[in-house]
Amino acid sequence: MSDMPALAAADPEIHELILQETRRQDEYIRLIPSENYASEAVMEATGSILNNKYSEGYPGRRYYEGQEYIDRIETIAIERAKALFGVSHANVQPYSGSPANQAVYLALVKPGETVMGLGLPFGGHLTHGWGVNFSGIHYDSAQYEVDPETHLVDLDRVETLARKVRPKMIMCGGTAYPRIWDFEGFARIAEAVGAVLVADIAHIAGLVAAGAHPTPFPHASIATTTTHKTLRGPRGGMILSDGTHAKEIDRAVFPGLQGGPHNHTTAAIAVALREAATDDFKRYAHQVVANAKALAEKLNERGFRLVSGGTDNHLILIDVTPRGINGKPAAKALHAAGIECNYNTVPFDPRKPFDPSGIRIGTPSITSRGMTEKEMPQIADWIDRAVSVANDEQALVRIRREIAEFCRGFPAPGIRV
Ligand SMILES: *Cc1c(COP(=O)(O)O)cnc(C)c1O
């Protein structure tokens, strides 16, 4: 993605910034767990002329002419999604993960009705009922928390809350939860209170597709996801379901919430789903988890306090305060050293969200570059060193040079420098 002669001629300023961002993505150890490197094939489909076409509606039922190829592309994406996740219905039109969730709310609950989700400070997502989000503004939101000691989702607490508030819908899944989701346990609770269970697998979709995390089906009747995190596709969203709410979901996405689908994205989703069905991808997803476990073990040995003690998936949440530093300065020091992560609250964080106690890291991107357990001690060592010399700019720059050199040995998919 570095050869863009038309762009270079038409808009040198934007062209140059894209080149610089390309270099940045190549030279950093990217540990933000929601990010990845999409393949060159996915990027080509995303940048294709499908961008030019309007196609409101669904395959065979469109409001514009000229859909003979678009219909086939969207149908292929739908069929691949259904096959990969073993479901009977898939909607591939949501513009991203948040609109996918919004469509599910629109399909299942009326404003003012009660919904339940994991609170944002405990690893949930904004769209799971947080106050400043549409989901907390328009719905009566009851938020569950993790256990104060173990930092695990405690189904007894979830059940107590569910029996008290009788939600119409229960969301499970999160953005900063390092452990396995017990979809079966959630389903028992949802059934007992007459709620629909929705699993948001935005972060773990790639792991689920590869069998590296249990699937939400048949326990949940609906799963929402992004397509650009562990699934390694274009930025987009999908709603998968067992078919019981298929009509309401399709109607909620269009015309309920969106206009024309992004056909270039739909095509790239189809490409990513084909890639995700391969043995290579299965190996990739299991390696993501193996890398996260290896990295967690090394960080534990170096005195970092890991939320819940470790990880079962692709991400690690670290309380860095025992190392004498807070989350934000730690994230800034790591960035200066060539390691990209984000500062994050930890459960029951005494500090504020804009300056919290933790950082969040993950292994999807580095695994896409071919790194394995062998490289994790070295990465843990750099994290340790960067945090120890957080105020020494020279020392951080020295680490950054080592890391840029190291990264050259692991070419990133979709990036040519
Ligand atoms: C990333 C994420 C989303 C939102 O996806 P966007 O594409 O950023 O809108 C929703 N739910 C969860 C759990 C996520 O991690």
Side-chain angles (χ1 to χ4, degrees), residues 96-98 101 125 174-175 200 202-203 226 228-229:
S96 208
S98 302
N101 283 344
H125 191 258
T175 65
D200 181 345
H203 260 260
T226 60
H228 49 272
K229 295 180 182 174

Side-chain angles (χ1 to χ4, degrees), residues 116 154-164 188-189 192-193:
M116 256 175 73
D154 174 359
L155 285 182
D156 290 339
R157 286 160 192 266
V158 175
E159 181 167 2
T160 304
L161 183 61
R163 288 191 185 278
K164 186 169 147 229
R188 272 197 302 275
I189 296 167
V193 300

Side-chain angles (χ1 to χ4, degrees), residues 80-359:
R80 286 181 184 167
K82 284 159 59 177
L84 187 65
F85 291 95
V87 293
S88 61
H89 173 253
N91 187 309
V92 298
Q93 292 193 5
Y95 297 144
S96 208
S98 302
N101 283 344
Q102 202 177 356
V104 169
Y105 281 79
L106 188 60
L108 298 181
V109 282
K110 294 194 185 66
E113 289 184 333
T114 304
V115 296
M116 256 175 73
L118 178 61
L120 186 71
F122 304 98
H125 191 258
L126 281 166
T127 54
H128 296 186
W130 191 241
V132 298
N133 185 262
F134 82 91
S135 57
I137 295 169
H138 295 310
Y139 302 92
D140 180 21
S141 160
Q143 304 249 280
Y144 53 93
E145 304 179 348
V146 296
D147 181 272
E149 297 292 315
T150 62
H151 293 164
L152 301 178
V153 169
D154 174 359
L155 285 182
D156 290 339
R157 286 160 192 266
V158 175
E159 181 167 2
T160 304
L161 183 61
R163 288 191 185 278
K164 186 169 147 229
V165 304
R166 311 295 295 188
K168 285 286 282 268
M169 180 172 98
I170 299 177
M171 299 282 288
C172 60
T175 65
Y177 188 68
R179 296 297 182 175
I180 300 282
W181 285 90
D182 179 1
F183 298 121
E184 198 174 351
F186 269 95
R188 272 197 302 275
I189 296 167
E191 183 163 79
V193 300
V196 180
L197 178 63
V198 179
D200 181 345
I201 59 168
H203 260 260
I204 56 172
L207 308 185
V208 169
H213 185 290
T215 171
F217 297 105
H219 313 298
S221 47
I222 298 171
T224 58
T225 185
T226 60
T227 50
H228 49 272
K229 295 180 182 174
T230 51
L231 198 56
R232 220 161 60 177
R235 293 197 95 88
M238 295 195 295
I239 304 172
L240 311 163
S241 83
D242 62 10
T244 44
H245 305 280
K247 264 215 172 98
E248 297 96 302
I249 290 168
D250 285 347
R251 238 184 280 131
V253 174
F254 174 84
L257 193 63
Q258 299 186 169
H262 293 177
N263 297 308
H264 54 305
T265 302
T266 306
I269 288 174
V271 174
L273 290 168
R274 184 186 165 113
E275 291 175 352
T278 60
D279 288 339
D280 263 359
F281 189 88
K282 276 196 193 77
R283 274 190 292 277
Y284 161 71
H286 283 93
Q287 189 64 52
V288 165
V289 176
N291 285 352
K293 284 181 184 292
L295 186 55
E297 191 186 311
K298 293 294 157 198
L299 291 169
N300 251 330
E301 286 169 10
R302 286 168 158 77
F304 286 96
R305 186 195 291 156
L306 308 193
V307 169
S308 85
T311 182
D312 297 323
N313 60 20
H314 63 301
L315 79 81
I316 303 167
L317 193 55
I318 310 171
D319 181 351
V320 291
T321 56
R323 293 289 308 261
I325 189 167
N326 297 324
K328 196 173 185 173
K332 296 217 171 296
L334 286 164
H335 187 256
I339 298 171
E340 199 184 357
C341 70
N342 64 278
Y343 55 88
N344 215 100
T345 55
V346 298
F348 307 99
D349 203 324
R351 305 182 56 81
K352 296 256 180 309
F354 202 61
D355 184 20
S357 299
I359 59 170

Side-chain angles (χ1 to χ4, degrees), residues 2-35:
S2 56
D3 204 18
M4 300 176 290
L7 181 59
D11 193 335
E13 193 179 6
I14 291 296
H15 178 258
E16 178 54 29
L17 289 170
I18 293 177
L19 286 194
Q20 288 186 27
E21 171 65 12
T22 307
R23 229 167 283 133
R24 200 193 64 78
Q25 290 190 18
D26 189 53
E27 288 178 358
Y28 278 73
I29 293 179
R30 298 174 58 230
L31 295 181
I32 294 175
S34 49
E35 294 183 349

